[in-house]
Amino acid sequence: MYTKTQLKQEKPSVNRITEVCARFADEITKIPGAEKTMVCFQCGTCTGDCPIARFSNSYRPRQIIRMVQLGLKSKVLSSPRIWLCAGCYTCTDRCPQDIEVASVLRVLRNLVVQEGFIPSVYRELASNVLDTGYAYMIPEMRLKKREEEGLPSLPKANLENLAKLFDLTGLSKIL
Ligand code: SF4
Ligand code: SF4
């Protein structure tokens, strides 16, 4: 989870993203997962049920959806809040309009990543996956403890295939 200072510092530069209000919503709704964005009627169920919104004074998935509907491209793509979604899909399960709210969030983040911005915490997670096959570096001490407890050793990832995947998706370049 970000601290307030991190959120301020990590505001991405979206100067290269042209704000064309009318086209933005159109662009978003063509991307799989975000097709139904325009049918949101702002009931607020997604925000009411979101575990992140519960602990944040500023994270409101309903508002993010509204910003997309209004075509506020620069504003929504430069908002650090789009990175706070935990991807739990509660909002998607509960939306009365069948909007895949979590997928809309993913679509927005992907657009920002395509512009070359990744918050440092995600960059670190991706680098860990590339280097070890695991999102988190597992301390030696914990591995030893597993051994002592008679647990099987952790499976090894195919790092060569992972590297290929990172290349194919363009993630290596961005990292
Ligand atoms: S639950 Fe669905 S319809 Fe209601 S505000 Fe959220 S996205 Fe819009
Ligand atoms: S998927 Fe994201 S926006 Fe939806 S409820 Fe979970 S944390 Fe909130």
Side-chain angles (χ1 to χ4, degrees):
M1 183 66 65
Y2 289 120
T3 62
K4 274 186 185 167
T5 324
Q6 274 176 321
L7 282 172
K8 273 185 200 152
Q9 285 168 349
E10 302 236 14
K11 197 166 180 164
S13 162
V14 289
N15 294 339
R16 286 180 294 132
I17 299 172
T18 320
E19 181 146 20
V20 184
C21 296
R23 275 180 38 200
F24 183 52
D26 201 37
E27 186 188 327
I28 292 285
T29 51
K30 283 197 176 86
I31 305 174
E35 298 95 333
K36 290 191 172 176
T37 309
M38 295 310 281
V39 301
C40 166
F41 51 28
Q42 293 289 292
C43 68
T45 305
C46 49
T47 295
D49 290 337
C50 172
I52 302 297
R54 204 173 304 152
F55 295 100
S56 160
N57 290 328
S58 58
Y59 182 69
R60 302 286 179 264
R62 177 190 64 81
Q63 283 177 354
I64 293 172
I65 296 286
R66 189 63 178 148
M67 285 199 271
V68 174
Q69 288 180 325
L70 294 175
L72 302 176
K73 185 172 185 175
S74 304
K75 198 167 177 181
V76 73
L77 293 184
S78 61
S79 171
R81 290 177 197 130
I82 61 173
W83 299 93
L84 292 177
C85 169
C88 68
Y89 282 77
T90 307
C91 50
T92 304
D93 283 346
R94 309 223 169 128
C95 173
Q97 292 290 78
D98 285 334
I99 299 165
E100 294 179 53
V101 186
S103 299
V104 177
L105 265 302
R106 170 183 48 78
V107 164
L108 295 173
R109 289 193 299 247
N110 282 349
L111 287 177
V112 180
V113 170
Q114 279 162 17
E115 287 290 316
F117 175 81
I118 308 183
S120 54
V121 63
Y122 286 98
R123 190 178 288 277
E124 194 181 321
L125 291 180
S127 301
N128 287 345
V129 171
L130 187 61
D131 293 342
T132 66
Y134 290 97
Y136 297 94
M137 292 299 208
I138 302 163
E140 251 336 289
M141 200 180 73
R142 199 169 301 166
L143 295 174
K144 225 168 155 190
K145 189 80 188 153
R146 281 184 71 90
E147 229 177 272
E148 282 167 19
E149 297 295 330
L151 292 168
S153 45
L154 294 172
K156 295 259 180 265
N158 185 327
L159 296 181
E160 207 178 303
N161 283 351
L162 265 176
K164 275 186 204 156
L165 198 61
F166 271 54
D167 285 345
L168 282 171
T169 55
L171 192 53
S172 313
K173 238 186 221 169
I174 293 168
L175 287 178

